[in-house]
Amino acid sequence: MRIATWNVNSVRSRADRIQAFLQRNDIDVLAMQETKVADAKFPYSVFEAAGYEVAHVGYHQWNGVAIASRVGLEDVREGFERQPGFHKDIAHEQAMEARAVGANCGGVDVWSLYVPNGREIGVRHYDYKLEFLYRLSEQVTPGSPQVFMGDFNIAPTDKNVWDIAFFEGKTHVTEPERAAFQRLVESGLTQVTHDELYSYWDYKSMRFQRGEGMLIDFQLVTPVMADRLKFAWVDVDERKGQGASDHAPVIADYDVADLAGALDEVR
């Protein structure tokens, strides 16, 4: 099963490009983030014409997550248990944002996640980011085939950014953020690794052309999926050219042929 995650940065403006990516890379399951569209305006027909079912969570023109699958789409979940909401005023009602969608795709429990950015250290959105990650760690079931993937908005180590000095006093690299990411890993997940250094290059200052990127997009998997991982890579070419997202897809191949039998043995 070939599984990919991609912050598409507007699904409607890049629908044709996404469809071409799915076909070119023979993708079975694609998790998308920052679709930036309400459910009613999502371009379902583009994916259906290519043979994919889609689960999408979008409330308006911000955030938005989706899963497109050609190997089945069952048990769709809008958000996860105890997922926090957000309002800059802590005393105000904390409204749920479109940042998580889960589904069973061909026997694998898949989550598409758009972790809050955090904005600035010490602001309400930064605390929201940490709470989101801590609550997410409660959803991990190590004995099940799970893939938690998406834009985590965290560079777990210094080597995951082009210049750590540039990020001094900024989010994405702080100790609390990295600790929250590590807690997620320690809940029973393995970070899928690859040879590419980065998955995101800001549009500003020609970051892509200068090779000034960040690795903030990940697939985190439970042991049963880690054991079946064959190969993973970042499709850096998808960041090139006119109309590209500022993120590149992270793709991984898993051998799930014996998955059902292996789970029966565990049970």
Side-chain angles (χ1 to χ4, degrees), residues 3 13 26 40 77 125 127 129 134 177 215 224 227 249 264:
I3 300 177
S13 63
D26 198 25
R77 283 144 284 159
H125 207 262
D127 295 337
K129 179 179 190 175
Y134 284 131
E177 290 169 293
L215 182 60
V224 69
D227 290 344
D264 287 339

Side-chain angles (χ1 to χ4, degrees), residues 69-139:
S69 171
R70 66 178 185 184
V71 294
L73 190 71
E74 302 176 345
D75 188 26
V76 175
R77 283 144 284 159
E78 182 176 327
F80 53 83
E81 187 175 353
R82 298 217 299 162
Q83 179 180 329
F86 175 75
H87 191 281
K88 61 182 179 181
D89 182 355
I90 192 65
H92 197 278
E93 179 183 356
Q94 304 296 295
M96 191 63 63
E97 296 186 323
R99 294 187 176 275
V101 61
N104 185 294
C105 301
V108 179
D109 191 44
V110 171
W111 282 94
S112 178
L113 304 158
Y114 181 39
V115 175
N117 177 280
R119 298 178 184 170
E120 296 178 11
I121 299 171
V123 302
R124 167 73 184 123
H125 207 262
Y126 181 83
D127 295 337
Y128 168 49
K129 179 179 190 175
L130 299 180
E131 184 182 4
F132 185 97
L133 288 162
Y134 284 131
R135 297 301 184 199
L136 180 62
S137 69
E138 299 171 355
Q139 310 308 308

Side-chain angles (χ1 to χ4, degrees), residues 6-45:
W6 188 9
N7 180 322
V8 297
N9 194 8
S10 179
V11 68
R12 287 192 295 175
S13 63
R14 296 187 172 85
D16 291 341
R17 186 164 184 152
I18 298 167
Q19 184 185 52
F21 162 78
L22 290 169
Q23 295 174 343
R24 184 176 69 253
N25 287 284
D26 198 25
I27 301 297
D28 292 307
V29 179
L30 173 64
M32 291 172 277
Q33 303 85 43
E34 271 202 286
T35 58
K36 294 184 176 180
V37 65
D39 288 340
K41 295 184 178 180
F42 187 93
Y44 293 98
S45 60

Side-chain angles (χ1 to χ4, degrees), residues 73-253:
L73 190 71
E74 302 176 345
D75 188 26
V76 175
R77 283 144 284 159
E78 182 176 327
F80 53 83
E81 187 175 353
R82 298 217 299 162
Q83 179 180 329
F86 175 75
H87 191 281
K88 61 182 179 181
D89 182 355
I90 192 65
H92 197 278
E93 179 183 356
Q94 304 296 295
M96 191 63 63
E97 296 186 323
R99 294 187 176 275
V101 61
N104 185 294
C105 301
V108 179
D109 191 44
V110 171
W111 282 94
S112 178
L113 304 158
Y114 181 39
V115 175
N117 177 280
R119 298 178 184 170
E120 296 178 11
I121 299 171
V123 302
R124 167 73 184 123
H125 207 262
Y126 181 83
D127 295 337
Y128 168 49
K129 179 179 190 175
L130 299 180
E131 184 182 4
F132 185 97
L133 288 162
Y134 284 131
R135 297 301 184 199
L136 180 62
S137 69
E138 299 171 355
Q139 310 308 308
V140 179
T141 306
S144 298
Q146 293 181 302
V147 181
F148 294 84
M149 55 183 166
D151 178 356
F152 284 80
N153 272 312
I154 293 175
T157 69
D158 289 357
K159 70 178 182 180
N160 298 141
V161 297
W162 82 89
D163 181 5
I164 191 61
F166 175 86
F167 290 89
E168 183 176 356
K170 298 181 176 69
T171 61
H172 290 55
V173 300
T174 66
E175 183 177 346
E177 290 169 293
R178 288 177 169 178
F181 186 92
Q182 183 60 27
R183 175 170 174 169
L184 188 58
V185 171
E186 291 174 354
S187 68
L189 299 176
T190 296
Q191 178 184 324
V192 171
T193 59
H194 43 73
D195 292 337
E196 288 77 20
L197 290 176
Y198 310 128
S199 63
Y200 165 81
W201 300 260
D202 199 325
Y203 289 129
K204 300 175 183 177
S205 304
M206 298 186 70
R207 296 289 184 209
F208 183 70
Q209 291 79 357
R210 295 173 181 270
E212 297 175 346
M214 304 173 66
L215 182 60
I216 57 176
D217 302 273
F218 301 99
Q219 294 194 29
L220 304 179
V221 300
T222 50
V224 69
M225 293 301 290
D227 290 344
R228 287 160 175 77
L229 176 65
K230 296 303 179 183
F231 187 68
W233 72 100
V234 177
D235 185 0
V236 178
D237 286 343
E238 193 55 58
R239 178 60 179 81
K240 300 176 182 178
Q242 186 175 1
S245 169
D246 45 2
H247 294 251
V250 179
I251 310 169
D253 285 341

